[in-house]
Amino acid sequence: MPHAQPKSLRTLGEALAARYAAVRGLSEALVAPLSDADATIQSMEDASPAKWHLAHTTWFWETFLLRDNAQDYALYDADWPFIFNSYYETEGERIARFARGMLSRPKLGDILEWRAHVDAAMGPLLDREDLTPLIELGLSHEQQHQELLLTDIKHALFQNPLGVAMWDGPGSKSQCSDGDWYAHPGGVARIGHQSDGFSFDNEGPVHRVLLEPFALSSRLVTNREWDEFIADGGYDTATLWLSDGWAWARENGVRAPLYWRDGEQFTHSGWQGRDPDAPVTHISYFEADAFASWAGMRLPTEFEWEAIARGQEGTLPAHDAHDGNQLDEAAPPLPVGSEGLFGDCWQFTRSAYLPYPRFQPAAGAVGEYNGKFMSGQFVLKGASCATARGHSRASYRNFFYPHQRWQFTGIRLAKDI
Amino acid sequence: MPHAQPKSLRTLGEALAARYAAVRGLSEALVAPLSDADATIQSMEDASPAKWHLAHTTWFWETFLLRDNAQDYALYDADWPFIFNSYYETEGERIARFARGMLSRPKLGDILEWRAHVDAAMGPLLDREDLTPLIELGLSHEQQHQELLLTDIKHALFQNPLGVAMWDGPGSKSQCSDGDWYAHPGGVARIGHQSDGFSFDNEGPVHRVLLEPFALSSRLVTNREWDEFIADGGYDTATLWLSDGWAWARENGVRAPLYWRDGEQFTHSGWQGRDPDAPVTHISYFEADAFASWAGMRLPTEFEWEAIARGQEGTLPAHDAHDGNQLDEAAPPLPVGSEGLFGDCWQFTRSAYLPYPRFQPAAGAVGEYNGKFMSGQFVLKGASCATARGHSRASYRNFFYPHQRWQFTGIRLAKDI
Amino acid sequence: MPHAQPKSLRTLGEALAARYAAVRGLSEALVAPLSDADATIQSMEDASPAKWHLAHTTWFWETFLLRDNAQDYALYDADWPFIFNSYYETEGERIARFARGMLSRPKLGDILEWRAHVDAAMGPLLDREDLTPLIELGLSHEQQHQELLLTDIKHALFQNPLGVAMWDGPGSKSQCSDGDWYAHPGGVARIGHQSDGFSFDNEGPVHRVLLEPFALSSRLVTNREWDEFIADGGYDTATLWLSDGWAWARENGVRAPLYWRDGEQFTHSGWQGRDPDAPVTHISYFEADAFASWAGMRLPTEFEWEAIARGQEGTLPAHDAHDGNQLDEAAPPLPVGSEGLFGDCWQFTRSAYLPYPRFQPAAGAVGEYNGKFMSGQFVLKGASCATARGHSRASYRNFFYPHQRWQFTGIRLAKDI
Amino acid sequence: MPHAQPKSLRTLGEALAARYAAVRGLSEALVAPLSDADATIQSMEDASPAKWHLAHTTWFWETFLLRDNAQDYALYDADWPFIFNSYYETEGERIARFARGMLSRPKLGDILEWRAHVDAAMGPLLDREDLTPLIELGLSHEQQHQELLLTDIKHALFQNPLGVAMWDGPGSKSQCSDGDWYAHPGGVARIGHQSDGFSFDNEGPVHRVLLEPFALSSRLVTNREWDEFIADGGYDTATLWLSDGWAWARENGVRAPLYWRDGEQFTHSGWQGRDPDAPVTHISYFEADAFASWAGMRLPTEFEWEAIARGQEGTLPAHDAHDGNQLDEAAPPLPVGSEGLFGDCWQFTRSAYLPYPRFQPAAGAVGEYNGKFMSGQFVLKGASCATARGHSRASYRNFFYPHQRWQFTGIRLAKDI
């Protein structure tokens, strides 16, 4: 738990309550620049309206904490579970995913009132030690949706030909320096969540993986390098691509990362000049893999990445990889990037998202959280500029389909040594 | 012109200005119950957001009146034509139709300000006699969009499982009495717009059509009769249906009019009990045709309908068919129906929407108004409860594809005699 | 009946038997150049395999004549109606249309044996006067499928990049001379089938239609004129097109008639040089309408076309319009064209395919023949080089959707005078 | 090389020539029961016509052996590479995959003649030691296509409602006895191709994988067990399924393995009674995974499967796992199954199909063979009744998408110990 407090100052319950307040408050801060209409629209089936994220996270608290654990708690509105359940089959029928964008009601203000109501009801539960694991899950769940909220609203605003910005200013200015390689001699690595803090079920159980010698780049691939890839015909050279990737790029006319036009890229601050030295973002696994082939290297496995992040074998540089300049409640929401392994963008690995040995989903409805998505997706490691502070760790496993690229996705190269 | 004023009281310009103000004001009155988000969402490609209708009609005035005719008029926002042009190819590229629902900006308030700006600029032009035809076109155009706005927002609110209402109260209470038949002996009828008032290009030229003897029902088909059709297996009897209609009903699981569930129907006032004696509405041409086959009758041609509406051969009942209780600016927007040929719902004819002999589209961009839609659609006559008062006439030709049913569409039967 | 024989030589039954033999024989002659595999493949849902046409027409005889009228007739194979019924709902379930191309069995030879079996069983029925109308319908039905067989196999062979030919030689050599106009002064025309011979139900009842003065071209539009249309940007000028047509052309990348490449066109004899003076063929209604707009003219109505074909008002040239060089059993199957109204290609009219006044479909299953297709299609008049001899007449109404163009479709222009 | 001969009897070239003849001959034997039309149809994009398999394998020999290595060899038909190249981008443009079913020409006979021509030309090359690796690749390639030919034609014949059989007799009669578990204590296993014989590039390099203790069933899941799964609501219990699997089953109405109806299953011998004790086949990964969840177990990883197949740790039963009753040229093509790990059906593993450490695709066009398919697919191990004899080995990695099930796919369960 990155934010643990000295016990002498606060009880655990107080600490949890403070974190609960901070996480919930951040969700609301993120939508502050949005109109009710901004928060209502849905740009594709993969994405959800900002308002829906605010409501769905609240549904999670109301369902799994209040309804199941708070005596005499009555649902705020008995019709809302139908529209704000995401995918929990055990929680009953729900609205079709692509219809979330039709929910002009309840209004943004109605949902904010619901949030306040739920937050008030949650108060007494934050002290109950038996609920701590579920509360931690709820906090992590809400943090995940904060990132989705940011990437989804970016995609929604991008649809508007007027170039709408939700924030002022030129946005983040992360840069990649020349970089170096973290070498790893190979051997048996311990993989999976190993501390007392919270983790998702898919991060465990801890197990051993045998690694061959390899090296991982200390920096991310830059926009400049991507421009070189394009200039060298990267999008026109079939032999660089996976078969499915080539078909996907042809069918969708993909010839650059998402959000690029000329020398600009679309950001939460609208169209901005593109920094050649910033990490390339918004690429698909297919593009990442093709780029790595073009560069004569490859993507790392999730195990290689984690081994470096854990500093095993003395390969990790001195500065702490966990303190990337991630999203901070006090700072502007999209801060300057870092050169650690976390904080600029999620990094594709060549590992498919699959269960670790002896993995068992959690019991009950929350068991639907991670395990049921284990086909067809790839693992991403690290964290992005849109990831909530404290929401990443070496064992964290993000996952997306190989064609998806509306997240802040990037590349860190690896090679055999 | 149904609302012409005595010249002694007002100049023609003053009359036009009054009508301009009334029409423009009604558009805004219609969206008064809507939130910005309500006005932003788009439920299908056929429909447009309410906000978009407000903006598109304003674009029409700005483009064809102000830009082309008002000296030194500068566009309010040079980026807006791209998003608010509907389909005028000669006016340049425009946003894809299905992307209208992504326009959370400009906000509803921004568009209302634009409307005020344009209305102010329009003032001097309302006196210019040379522009009267174009202004009349603009008014009729805006009235058409008022009806679409109402049917589109109904469809959008229907998507919301919460059963959202935009108006209070049970809605209209039109009823069909027992009814009778208007007989016509056949002969040559004069068809097409024949007065001095405004009409669309597709209503002319006036020409003669030879009719066989026929009779047209004095009333519309009711919900009760539709229930009988269903109970008799109407939706399961292939031989009643057009081939395309049968395929459409199978593919889409159509087993009742749009907006029906159990004994209720969805209205602008939310879910309401269904009056068995009210006209059936929200049916497709395919359903209308199947019903007529089931009833042993047929749909009228557009020419038969118009001949009866014109009262030729003395068949028209005494009361004036043109004064149906249509939408009135002062009254609630969905008023009580009528038993005339106008005002409850648009009535499908078995006539395809095609050019009249010697039809020529208007010159210039407004020539794209009607002619280019002359394939695959059927003509509807009359007017619905959502049609602006004064916006219908015997020669009016509405048109939709045979599967569309989100308009207030109904049936008036005909038979050979 | 174009082929009626003197009664002294033959009984009516003998004449019918001769025609039956000729029609059935022609179907088999058409597939002579095809392999079993050629006759099995299906290139699109609109088209059927050649083998299927041979079988479906035989199913028609077996079902409506033998099963219903021949004592003790047992179905040749009780499983075959499921696969060879086309669309007769009253005849039960049937294979999905797009699955006809999966029928590698029964083999072509099996179907030819079935044909022989059915032909033998039909013998006694050809004398029964009560069955004559149904037999005439069966003959016309088979002739229609002969034309479809030819257009469908052409489309199938076209899919093969090897440029397969089913016939030797350069194919037809029809040419359009300079041409002239048939003028018509307007007035009331008698429309619909008026002789004793066979006709489909949709050709009646006879009724009167009032025509305005017009002129119809004595010749068809040529390939040379179509090249001019292309050179003048016809496919790039939105204002020439119907809205649906423009969308169709964009979506499908349509920039020339079907079967064109460079200076060639694909024919039953493979790729052949394109004769600039031959009629343009394989165009859609959308293209025909755009061309007419570009030429400053229009397409005729079906009534105008029929009035000229009937020679009313003395406008028809001396030579008999019915003797176009159509398909002849003895001659090569795709003969030289004509300058009459029949024989080179079907000519789009601007008339939607709708019922004539007082139209009633035939009773029973055969009533599904024509009436149920009366939405969304346009009427074509005349006949094409692939139409069976004797299968066309002034009242004949062919019909296709406005985007379809795998038939031998062309243009005869009209204008107001 | 499982079929290596004593050197004293044959030269290596003679042995290769004998195998070449046997493999090529088997391809032709497989299509012997098929008509030209059977061999032409294509039932879905995943499958290819039988004729195309015969031709594509021949194209492989002609392109990579004859064209590149035989002096003065001229292509048999210069137009054929366009239609018979499968997916080799470096070999140029090719016909769209879904259009392979349109190739009624060349005829089956034409392709058999081409095969004879190529076989004759191949003679001299079979002695060239430098070409041996490429020839071995060609043989394995052709064997893979033999299996696809069998599964594709089964799928094609299944489309025919008449229940077509290509072979007589009731088909294979493999049975599963009670079975036992092969236990493995865990540890480091050597994975990948380790002998001198042929292997595909994706089977290497050899590398070490760390395994946890586990057990693998000695038998396959049976039809009887699958019936129990169905009876217990397996297809209706969302929590048993992967999220993508649940969606796939809903959208496609999947409620049983492919080819099942009532107590029967479709086979190469037509519809046959289903043996409850035979292995279940034609299931997707999604179904296999749901079944394993229902059974309280899991699927093995590809590494666990291979470790057992290699008999490491003494866990492999005495009888040789490699001698499953696979396809034999002399025997009927679909022989009785076995209880070894090979021969009844391909067994899904829970391993995604990804590159082994330090994997490098082969140079040149043949490098497109395996590596470019490494996204979204799962590894299958073993071999099926349709796999060519000698074409399987412990390191063999077959791969399919999780929804595909037209291969002979089945389940061997695993569990943690």
Side-chain angles (χ1 to χ4, degrees), chain D residues 3-281:
Chain D
H3 295 266
Q5 313 284 337
K7 277 215 168 180
S8 57
L9 291 181
R10 289 196 181 190
T11 65
L12 268 174
E14 280 170 347
L16 198 55
R19 282 212 297 125
Y20 178 90
V23 167
R24 295 282 288 170
L26 179 55
S27 296
E28 287 146 26
L30 290 174
V31 300
L34 302 181
S35 72
D36 185 12
D38 293 334
T40 296
I41 58 178
Q42 179 182 31
S43 59
M44 59 173 173
E45 196 165 344
D46 283 342
S48 295
K51 207 165 70 176
W52 188 91
H53 286 297
L54 289 186
H56 165 68
T57 47
T58 305
W59 167 86
F60 189 99
W61 293 111
E62 189 176 67
T63 303
F64 298 122
L65 274 296
L66 295 174
R67 184 199 64 183
D68 292 355
N69 296 284
Q71 214 172 354
D72 300 330
Y73 182 83
L75 293 186
Y76 188 76
D77 189 315
D79 290 335
W80 289 8
F82 181 81
I83 54 177
F84 296 131
N85 175 3
S86 53
Y87 54 66
Y88 296 82
E89 300 280 350
T90 46
E91 291 296 326
E93 293 288 310
R94 75 222 80 103
I95 196 174
R97 189 175 173 111
F98 59 79
R100 292 177 187 168
M102 289 299 104
L103 299 173
S104 60
R105 314 288 177 94
K107 297 185 183 183
L108 180 51
D110 300 333
I111 287 169
L112 292 172
E113 284 175 27
W114 182 31
R115 291 180 66 91
H117 177 89
V118 162
D119 289 348
M122 276 296 298
L125 272 58
L126 297 173
D127 279 326
R128 279 178 51 185
E129 227 170 295
D130 61 319
L131 297 179
T132 304
L134 212 45
I135 291 167
E136 289 285 358
L137 180 61
L139 291 174
S140 286
H141 173 258
E142 182 133 1
Q143 288 180 315
Q144 287 186 313
H145 278 279
Q146 286 167 357
E147 177 152 6
L148 292 173
L149 188 159
L150 283 169
T151 52
D152 291 357
I153 191 65
K154 180 175 179 178
H155 196 261
L157 296 178
F158 176 65
Q159 309 306 312
N160 194 320
L162 303 182
V164 176
M166 66 183 273
W167 293 321
D168 291 335
S172 68
K173 274 288 178 223
S174 65
Q175 289 212 338
C176 300
S177 62
D178 274 2
D180 206 346
W181 292 90
Y182 303 120
H184 191 293
V188 173
R190 275 176 65 84
I191 297 295
H193 190 64
Q194 300 165 29
S195 80
D196 293 338
F198 172 80
S199 69
F200 288 113
D201 55 0
N202 65 3
E203 297 172 47
V206 177
H207 64 290
R208 298 162 304 157
V209 169
L210 204 159
L211 301 178
E212 304 290 331
F214 73 95
L216 184 72
S217 177
S218 69
R219 67 172 186 79
L220 299 168
V221 170
T222 64
N223 287 328
R224 186 191 310 280
E225 290 166 304
W226 203 270
D227 275 322
E228 291 165 14
F229 171 68
I230 293 175
D232 197 37
Y235 282 99
D236 295 311
T237 308
T239 48
L240 295 173
W241 291 72
L242 288 162
S243 180
D244 285 352
W246 183 249
W248 166 82
R250 294 303 100 175
E251 274 164 34
N252 295 282
V254 174
R255 306 194 58 76
L258 183 62
Y259 298 134
W260 280 32
R261 72 173 184 198
D262 307 328
E264 294 186 314
Q265 60 189 346
F266 187 73
T267 74
H268 287 94
S269 302
W271 288 99
Q272 300 284 342
R274 209 162 58 228
D275 178 359
D277 295 319
V280 67
T281 54

Side-chain angles (χ1 to χ4, degrees), chain C residues 38 40 42 102 104-105 160, chain D residues 37-38 42 102 104-105 160:
Chain C
D38 293 334
T40 296
Q42 178 181 31
M102 289 298 103
S104 60
R105 315 287 178 95
N160 193 320
Chain D
D38 293 334
Q42 179 182 31
M102 289 299 104
S104 60
R105 314 288 177 94
N160 194 320

Side-chain angles (χ1 to χ4, degrees), chain C residues 71-390:
Chain C
Q71 214 173 355
D72 300 328
Y73 182 81
L75 292 185
Y76 188 75
D77 188 316
D79 290 335
W80 289 9
F82 181 82
I83 52 177
F84 296 131
N85 175 5
S86 53
Y87 54 67
Y88 296 81
E89 301 280 350
T90 48
E91 290 296 327
E93 294 286 311
R94 74 225 80 103
I95 196 173
R97 189 176 173 110
F98 59 79
R100 292 177 186 166
M102 289 298 103
L103 300 173
S104 60
R105 315 287 178 95
K107 297 184 183 183
L108 180 51
D110 299 333
I111 288 169
L112 292 172
E113 283 175 28
W114 181 32
R115 292 181 64 93
H117 177 90
V118 162
D119 289 349
M122 277 296 297
L125 272 59
L126 298 173
D127 280 328
R128 280 178 49 184
E129 226 169 296
D130 61 320
L131 297 178
T132 304
L134 212 45
I135 291 167
E136 289 284 0
L137 179 61
L139 291 174
S140 285
H141 173 258
E142 183 134 358
Q143 288 179 314
Q144 287 185 313
H145 279 278
Q146 287 166 357
E147 176 152 7
L148 291 173
L149 189 159
L150 283 169
T151 52
D152 291 357
I153 192 66
K154 179 174 179 178
H155 196 261
L157 296 178
F158 175 64
Q159 308 306 311
N160 193 320
L162 303 183
V164 176
M166 65 183 274
W167 292 321
D168 292 335
S172 67
K173 277 287 178 222
S174 65
Q175 289 213 339
C176 300
S177 61
D178 274 2
D180 206 344
W181 293 89
Y182 303 121
H184 191 292
V188 173
R190 274 175 66 84
I191 296 296
H193 190 64
Q194 300 167 29
S195 80
D196 293 339
F198 171 81
S199 69
F200 288 112
D201 55 0
N202 64 4
E203 299 171 46
V206 176
H207 64 290
R208 299 162 303 159
V209 170
L210 204 158
L211 302 178
E212 304 291 332
F214 72 96
L216 183 73
S217 176
S218 68
R219 66 171 186 83
L220 299 169
V221 169
T222 63
N223 287 329
R224 185 191 309 280
E225 289 166 306
W226 203 270
D227 276 321
E228 290 165 13
F229 172 67
I230 293 176
D232 195 38
Y235 283 98
D236 296 310
T237 308
T239 47
L240 295 174
W241 291 72
L242 286 162
S243 180
D244 286 351
W246 182 248
W248 167 81
R250 295 301 99 176
E251 275 165 33
N252 295 282
V254 174
R255 306 194 58 78
L258 183 62
Y259 298 132
W260 280 31
R261 73 173 184 198
D262 307 329
E264 295 186 313
Q265 59 189 346
F266 186 73
T267 74
H268 287 93
S269 303
W271 288 99
Q272 300 283 343
R274 210 162 60 227
D275 178 359
D277 294 320
V280 67
T281 53
H282 296 295
I283 49 160
S284 66
Y285 177 84
F286 293 135
E287 290 165 288
D289 181 81
F291 179 90
S293 295
W294 172 78
M297 305 195 196
R298 62 174 175 85
L299 302 178
T301 67
E302 63 169 312
F303 312 111
E304 291 170 340
W305 195 100
E306 183 171 342
I308 295 295
R310 292 195 178 284
Q312 287 166 319
E313 319 291 340
T315 51
L316 200 65
H319 69 277
D320 179 358
H322 286 68
D323 275 335
N325 302 20
Q326 289 129 316
L327 209 69
D328 186 315
E329 304 88 66
L334 284 179
V336 176
S338 97
E339 301 206 6
L341 275 71
F342 302 81
D344 278 317
C345 54
W346 290 99
Q347 298 142 53
F348 274 115
T349 73
R350 79 191 307 176
S351 298
Y353 176 55
L354 293 170
Y356 285 166
R358 296 174 192 272
F359 168 72
Q360 293 294 342
V366 295
E368 296 188 52
Y369 204 90
N370 281 309
K372 75 178 184 181
F373 300 108
M374 291 175 172
S375 66
Q377 309 203 43
F378 281 87
V379 172
L380 297 99
K381 300 293 281 187
S384 84
C385 54
T387 310
R389 178 170 178 162

